[in-house]
Amino acid sequence: MTDSKYFTTTKKGEIFELKAELNSDKKEKKKEAVKKVIASMTVGKDVSALFPDVVNCMQTDNLELKKLVYLYLMNYAKSQPDMAIMAVNTFVKDCEDPNPLIRALAVRTMGCIRVDKITEYLCEPLRKCLKDEDPYVRKTAAVCVAKLHDINAQLVEDQGFLDTLKDLISDSNPMVVANAVAALSEIAESHPNSNLLDLNPQTINKLLTALNECTEWGQIFILDCLANYTPRDDRESQSICERVTPRLSHANSAVVLSAVKVLMKFMEMLPKDLDYYGTLLKKLAPPLVTLLSAEPELQYVALRNINLIVQRRPEIMKHEMKVFFVKYNDPIYVKLEKLDIMIRLASQANIAQVLAELKEYATEVDVDFVRKAVRAIGRCAIKVEQSAERCVSTLLDLIQTKVNYVVQEAIVVIKDIFRKYPNKYESVIATLCENLDSLDEPEARAAMIWIVGEYAERIDNADELLESFLEGFHDESTQVQLQLLTAIVKLFLKKPTETQELVQQVLSLATQDSDNPDLRDRGYIYWRLLSTDPVAAKEVVLAEKPLISEETDLIEPTLLEELICHIGTLASVYHKPPSAFVEGSRGVQHKRLPGSAGSGESVDSPETTSTAGVSDAPPAVIPSQGDLLGDLLNLDLTPTTAGPPPPAPSSGMQLGGMDLLGGGLDSLIGAGFGAAPAALPASFSAPVSGGLDDLFDLGGGVGMPMGAYSPPKSVWLPAMKAKGLEISGTFARRAGVIQMEMTLTNKAMSVMTDFAIQFNRNSFGLSPAGPLQVLTPLSPNQSIEVALPLNTSGPVMKMDPLNNLQVAVKNNIDVFYFSCQYPISMLFVEDGKMERQIFLATWKDIPNDNESQFQIKDCHLSSGKMA
Amino acid sequence: MIGGLFIYNHKGEVLISRVYRDDIGRNAVDAFRVNVIHARQQVRSPVTNIARTSFFHVKRSNIWLAAVTKQNVNAAMVFEFLYKMCDVMTAYFGKISEENIKNNFVLIYELLDEILDFGYPQNSETGALKTFITQQGIKGQLQTKEEQSQITSQVTGQIGWRREGIKYRRNELFLDVLESVNLLMSPQGQVLSAHVSGRVVMKSYLSGMPECKFGMNDKIVIDKQGKGGATDDAGKSGKQSIAIDDCTFHQCVRLSKFDSERSISFIPPDGEYELMRYRTTKDIILPFRVIPLVREVGRTKLEVKVVIKSNFKPSLLAQKIEVRIPTPLNTSGVQVICMKGKAKYKASENAIVWKIKRMAGMKESQISAEIELLPTNDKKKWARPPISMNFEVPFAPSGLKVRYLKVFESKLNYSDHDVIKWVRYIGRSGIYETRC
């Protein structure tokens, strides 16, 4: 058989010839012709013109030919709906064929033809096939319901196919059950709120029974479906876990990963002191390790998932460091992922081994991998304090190799080490300075400049070094320019006498010759600080900086929880929620892990640490801003290529220092302040300069409509500025009580809880009369109406404009600030009605010099009524 | 689920294209070609997202297989499916090559229609598929009604991997214990990581629907039995038992039974298949030890001496031994002296390849080489890739022993004793590297 010849004909008039052949009387010739048509179709030629001729070949006893015609139909029926009708009869007839294989083939193909008129004819045969005596036909029909639903959801509901499909979950044949589960799960995804997959202990039991008997693929469908179930209590959870664990020994990696997903989710419900909990944890590690001996592509999927599992439950893999050692022949994507996990697992116990490995990797060929290895050494130093010294000396060794990108990467991480252990390893600065000339990447240059500025007092020729950078100031990237500006100001504050000229030079470069607003702003701030109050400047610029945190690229806890529910799927590979890469409604539901059954233990679980109060110290784990921002951005932007996401910036963002609510800076909080946390540049100087930038970034007041009695709600806090929380609101006076009526909308992807509100001092002493009543957590895309009663007994301070109110709202994510203006009328009491005479008398009692006049424009009311 | 499946040749021409879902258009075919096959840089990930469409790909020789989807599919399943698709194709027409795919494109479409429905993988066991998808087309017309229902019940049934009514005159089975031993050793001879990944491959030619039970020297099982029996017996057998870190089984094995009793029972498929895979990390017999010595003599010369020692019973013979010693890129000439076998410098592979046909246990052999280097001004040091080794030994480096494989077939009149059984152990090198 040499069918390859069908791929080669490309001569003109081919379609015409094919037409003749298709209409030939000889069966063999017909078949040959159809094969040619399919081959042309495959390579992308348009052979739709042959539609009637091909459909004519459908009436045949030859099954091979029939299948080819069906294949053609599936491709072109949509473009020729009227012609496709010609095929209906054959389909309907085939659905009655005594051979179950042919019945199934007909119903399978019919479901793939997306022509409305055909789907109408499909209903009856499908109904029969769903109840067919042969399991092969039933399992095909089950999937066909999902196909039909994709074409016409309403039709499927009207015809009652969903109920029939539900019945199939109790079918005696495991494969029918599996396909029914797959179809139902898919349909349920597009109806997030329907109770379609009515999972209850009875159905779960049926699924678990089928799980033992069906094909590997069926097991995956069932396990993925089980993962959506939330057991009622820990006992049920345990019994499901017990029945799922045997799947961990399956040869199919997808079965294993799906089982891991179910276990990881249901484990949340088990009390931690239970023996079984420990047993389960131990059982999870070996199969995960085994996944690493699969083919490289699967290893990659497994590693991306292990990365999540390690973040959620580090104890599972903590003894398995060695299996993540990189092999020389691993594909690069496997190498990079292994490295990532090695860093996460690094601890005091294994650090020596890890470091030896990392050093080995730093001499490999692939540039990305080498860079990441060097970075990893720095991360180890920050993570395991005892190893810091060895890490630094390893990095110095690497700098000695003089390989350009190794040196640059090493300098970037050494900068981070300085930020974690200040005043400890300055002895290495001399070595770093030797390599100044070889640095050509902005990040490395910026890091080096930061180091010089930070330790200017110990570097004799710091001024010369910085001056050398200044020469090409305008050719540098913004990152380097900003750093250079800050470093020279630092230097000036430390050695004012020798560097006056230098600082003036840089300030004028930044403010006068640059068109970058950030740079200009920062330049002006420094300039003004230095000229008005050098002592204050010193306090601000040379303030003690918070130490950077250990782990900077952890996935945000709520996202991590969601991803754990998606183990094995694309979401877990991309480390992004499905909504970031799936179009339409499908899969956009957010999954969450069930709450723990253990009493009060959940307090120390990672997802709740971030709910610490406003005044508390900042949480120990700060998710990298990059992730959060990235996800928000991805909602709107089409991701181009999504390989592994770029390594998160290694700088930890310490927002703690910026919590201005309790500080004495209240009066500085401007309208634009809500933007501060999200807009921080992710450069390492963020804690200091970022804060400063924003302090001075006082935009004008929000333009609010005034004077209306109860103005319509306007947006006070846009979601963009508050990590997805949008607040719109208005003021009203109801039954003598001033009320602030707000609509809180969650436009982020995670649930928001723990709302609280606080006002700054204001002109009339307005303050909340009670706490903000948001009792239920606000899930994504949900909004809630709240009415907050106010009184006027709070502290008073004159505001400008008079009716300006500055508000801070806190939730589990952050604190947000906004300001709004309330209508003065709201403050007026209802019982202020006076007799005309008394009013006039009172009016006259007011001294004349208190009187001022202004004109009311565009007012259509008479002045009498106004009074 | 999977929205479409494409097969390309090395030039990026599409050989097979099957679309299952409406959200995948013809442009997806081109997107993958442009962004992955014709990409300037080497592909950095087996999963690529192009314009909100995800592409999963695997490569077999020159052929690219790509599965496409727009949904949040089970990624592990997609790759498992692609591998399975390769297996099925290989089982039908041999090597996956452009020629073979073009010659069998009708068959491939037929298979794709059967094993993927609306993007959901269906039964993909070759044994079952071959009963009704043949290279001559479905033999639908020739089948009787019983035959048809037998096929459908096998395809959908609990024992989808075996059909009823198989008969052999001679009931026979072959067990191959195939192990690959992996090692990463430091230059000082310290084991950085070592593990054995093993497979038990079974060829069964048994009549009827035989129930089989497989036993090996699994530590957990032996210890359990030891508790019941005499104590000294337990101690004796304890030495020979091995600790298995993890194992996975063919879908014919009853996993719940393994989980509760740790017994391996199953009804085997007919013919050859992989019964189980396992992994061990403890008490591995490392068949060879490599002792490297690399000395840089000035800037233009390297002296390399490598000793290999065999570490197993003297009566056994290792075969196909190959030691690969990497050389720097700027090598200009190499002189090699070896005591045994043949050694050659292969400039195209940047390595000295030393081959020895056979070597008995507890022996030692040595090679020394002088490598001349061209002077370069490349500052970057040579990365010194590890020395790797290949070999084959007639024992299982993990220490695994097959204790029994019992066959029960109650309906037919043959017993366990009538079955002829063969067991063979082969240990091969996996990634067996010593850094230098």
Side-chain angles (χ1 to χ4, degrees), chain A residues 42 136 186 253 290 574 640, chain B residues 21 49 80 109 114 120 246:
Chain A
T42 301
Y136 183 78
E186 179 166 340
S253 309
T290 299
Y574 293 150
T640 43
Chain B
R21 298 251 171 173
N49 193 317
E80 283 283 4
Y109 276 125
E114 185 60 43
Y120 289 105
D246 189 38

Side-chain angles (χ1 to χ4, degrees), chain A residues 661-736:
Chain A
L661 194 65
L665 291 165
D666 291 22
S667 54
L668 279 178
I669 300 171
F673 209 87
L680 279 182
S683 77
F684 48 79
S685 63
V688 184
S689 51
L692 274 173
D693 278 352
D694 289 298
L695 278 182
F696 288 84
D697 183 21
L698 306 176
V702 179
M704 288 275 298
M706 284 185 59
Y709 178 63
S710 176
K713 283 182 181 173
S714 58
V715 176
W716 286 338
L717 181 70
M720 286 281 289
K721 296 191 170 185
K723 298 184 182 170
L725 175 65
E726 185 182 275
I727 301 181
S728 55
T730 183
F731 292 91
R733 190 174 179 94
R734 302 204 194 282

Side-chain angles (χ1 to χ4, degrees), chain A residues 131-197:
Chain A
K131 304 229 159 96
D132 200 285
E133 51 167 21
D134 195 292
Y136 183 78
V137 180
R138 287 202 304 275
K139 72 114 184 162
T140 312
V143 177
C144 190
V145 176
K147 290 180 189 170
L148 190 58
H149 185 269
D150 192 40
I151 304 169
N152 189 342
Q154 196 56 45
L155 187 70
V156 170
E157 276 171 49
D158 295 346
Q159 296 279 333
F161 285 140
L162 295 181
D163 294 320
T164 325
L165 202 54
K166 275 190 211 166
D167 293 343
L168 287 184
I169 290 193
S170 316
D171 200 278
S172 58
N173 184 294
M175 195 155 174
V176 176
V177 178
N179 276 4
V181 167
L184 276 174
S185 303
E186 179 166 340
I187 295 172
E189 260 184 28
S190 46
H191 294 275
N193 298 319
S194 70
N195 197 19
L196 200 57
L197 256 175

Side-chain angles (χ1 to χ4, degrees), chain A residues 449-486:
Chain A
I449 293 170
W450 183 86
I451 294 173
V452 174
E454 191 66 21
Y455 297 101
E457 68 273 28
R458 296 171 217 207
I459 305 171
D460 295 334
N461 60 343
D463 48 342
E464 286 169 33
L465 293 177
L466 293 176
E467 203 171 355
S468 69
F469 280 105
L470 209 53
E471 282 159 18
F473 189 77
H474 290 297
D475 302 329
E476 299 283 4
S477 72
T478 314
Q479 191 185 11
V480 180
Q481 290 177 335
L482 286 168
Q483 246 358 281
L484 197 52
L485 173 61
T486 306

